[in-house]
Amino acid sequence: MTDLTPITYAETAHTSEKFLWPRSEPCHHGKRFRLTAASGQRLAPRNPTISIPPVAKGLKLIPPAQLRAIESKPDFSPRPKGYQQYPIRMDEECLRYSSQTKLGFIFGVVRALGMVGFFLALFAAFVSVVAVFFASQSSQSNFNYNEMLSDLIPVYIYILGFCLLMWGGVRLIYRSFPNFAAGFQPGPMWELNRRTGMVTVFTNSAKKSTAWKVAHDLPFHEFDCYLQSSPTSQGIAQYNLSLVHYSVEAHVALVGMFGVTSRLDQLAAWDMVQHYMDTSQPLPDIPVFEMYRSLDPTTVEVDKETGRPPRFWRDMDDTTFNQKITELQDRLSAFYYG
């Protein structure tokens, strides 16, 4: 039987007041570190007391329908067997992240190329057939519609078949061998621990020998957040977050968990991280955390005081959830830019 006892906060657990503590150590960042990890706009720490999460990587991360599908599995538990050693976690105790294996990345690229190529080839085949038909109707044309069609069809059949093989083949591998095709590195890259208030940076998650070896284990309040930007191929600015220790060369690239999105979503992501780590505040009120709310002491107290339904998100229909998404987008704009 899985133990569903709420966690107990350590003495080192984080609260927003700790951001005001003095920093005595000098900065030991090298030039290269400053130009990469510690570049961009430094975001001041805040004390977010309301839950306004990002949209794509917050509210929409796991929608209600998916939560119900997860719960319907026979072996479902908020704390499944061996969960402590999962390289990726997002629960009442920690945010932990690991990247895909190189093989998993390659399979993902092949699948995407196959899917896009199939629909592009299908569209091109349709346009070609129509163009040849109208060209053959011209009195000045020497085209023979049937001959041209007999030449075109085999070419597109080969192209469509190859793309379908790439797309369908990888999907079959995903279903038959999910751990092999879409696996993650043996260990995590980093961890933000709500229970202890610590940030852990691991040495090398790609090798089993160093997968869980700790490079740095430092208090969350000693980290600064930097908003970094980079242009897309169309010249549109996209943003991501980096947590950087004020003294030693230790940083957490939050881009893996929160992606590269708009400035608005990244500001909301930084506030959600602070809200999550602050044990004087309940867990952020988004679907992905709902199954863990009864396992966090502060959240249990707040939910009891406010009378929050324990299945507020999980029993929500799609129409209502879409309305919540629209409302959140309006609230974000008003809160940060209003």
Side-chain angles (χ1 to χ4, degrees):
M1 187 71 178
T2 305
D3 181 15
L4 298 180
T5 305
I7 61 173
T8 301
Y9 303 136
E11 292 182 1
T12 54
H14 175 76
T15 55
S16 60
E17 293 81 6
K18 290 188 176 182
F19 278 127
L20 302 176
W21 288 8
R23 295 174 171 179
S24 57
E25 292 294 324
C27 179
H28 300 289
H29 296 170
K31 183 178 180 180
R32 182 177 179 182
F33 185 82
R34 290 196 301 270
L35 291 174
T36 53
S39 64
Q41 177 190 355
R42 179 181 170 184
L43 300 179
R46 291 155 42 86
N47 181 21
T49 57
I50 56 176
S51 183
I52 306 184
V55 177
K57 296 293 185 175
L59 192 64
K60 293 169 64 176
L61 187 61
I62 299 184
Q66 189 174 345
L67 285 180
R68 293 191 291 272
I70 293 172
E71 277 190 326
S72 66
K73 296 180 179 180
D75 57 347
F76 167 76
S77 173
R79 291 175 176 168
K81 183 178 180 181
Y83 75 97
Q84 297 95 334
Q85 297 302 310
Y86 284 7
I88 293 181
R89 288 176 62 185
M90 198 170 187
D91 53 33
E92 79 287 354
E93 185 174 5
C94 69
L95 302 179
R96 184 187 292 166
Y97 180 76
S98 180
S99 63
Q100 275 189 308
T101 60
K102 292 180 180 179
L103 188 61
F105 175 77
I106 292 172
F107 276 127
V109 171
V110 170
R111 178 175 176 268
L113 289 175
M115 180 174 62
V116 173
F118 177 82
F119 287 109
L120 286 177
L122 198 63
F123 176 75
F126 173 77
V127 171
S128 299
V129 170
V130 172
V132 169
F133 173 76
F134 282 107
S136 66
Q137 302 303 307
S138 173
S139 58
Q140 299 178 352
S141 173
N142 295 324
F143 286 144
N144 183 298
Y145 179 69
N146 292 329
E147 289 183 1
M148 289 295 296
L149 204 61
S150 63
D151 291 337
L152 282 174
I153 288 177
V155 173
Y156 281 113
I157 286 178
Y158 285 128
I159 295 174
L160 289 169
F162 181 71
C163 291
L164 196 60
L165 180 65
M166 293 169 62
W167 181 14
V170 173
R171 286 199 64 181
L172 181 62
I173 294 173
Y174 276 151
R175 289 189 178 186
S176 303
F177 311 99
N179 294 330
F180 171 73
F184 290 87
Q185 305 286 6
M189 299 173 67
W190 52 262
E191 175 186 292
L192 308 182
N193 197 296
R194 173 177 169 89
R195 186 182 64 81
T196 64
M198 304 297 285
V199 176
T200 304
V201 181
F202 295 89
T203 303
N204 187 345
S205 61
K207 297 181 179 180
K208 290 184 178 180
S209 58
T210 57
W212 289 87
K213 187 177 179 180
V214 175
H216 301 282
D217 194 31
L218 301 160
F220 176 70
H221 67 268
E222 294 183 355
F223 282 78
D224 296 319
C225 183
Y226 288 85
L227 180 68
Q228 302 175 331
S229 65
S230 58
T232 64
S233 56
Q234 291 79 29
I236 301 172
Q238 293 285 285
Y239 298 88
N240 62 274
L241 297 177
S242 176
L243 293 184
V244 180
H245 191 266
Y246 83 95
S247 176
V248 302
E249 290 190 353
H251 86 286
V252 168
L254 292 176
V255 62
M257 181 166 284
F258 293 107
V260 180
T261 60
S262 68
R263 176 184 175 87
L264 190 66
D265 255 22
Q266 295 297 334
L267 292 175
W270 169 225
D271 275 356
M272 190 177 82
V273 168
Q274 294 173 86
H275 193 127
Y276 173 86
M277 292 296 289
D278 188 350
T279 53
S280 68
Q281 301 290 336
L283 291 170
D285 200 351
I286 57 176
V288 68
F289 287 128
E290 187 165 71
M291 68 180 73
Y292 306 111
R293 295 185 72 85
S294 63
L295 305 176
D296 180 77
T298 303
T299 309
V300 171
E301 291 181 8
V302 172
D303 287 355
K304 186 177 180 181
E305 291 174 0
T306 59
R308 182 193 183 280
R311 298 184 60 86
F312 176 78
W313 294 112
R314 282 171 285 183
D315 291 340
M316 187 176 291
D317 60 82
D318 292 343
T319 301
T320 305
F321 184 62
N322 289 331
Q323 291 175 351
K324 294 291 184 183
I325 292 172
T326 303
E327 291 173 6
L328 175 60
Q329 290 170 332
D330 294 338
R331 289 173 64 200
L332 285 172
S333 297
F335 185 77
Y336 292 106
Y337 297 149

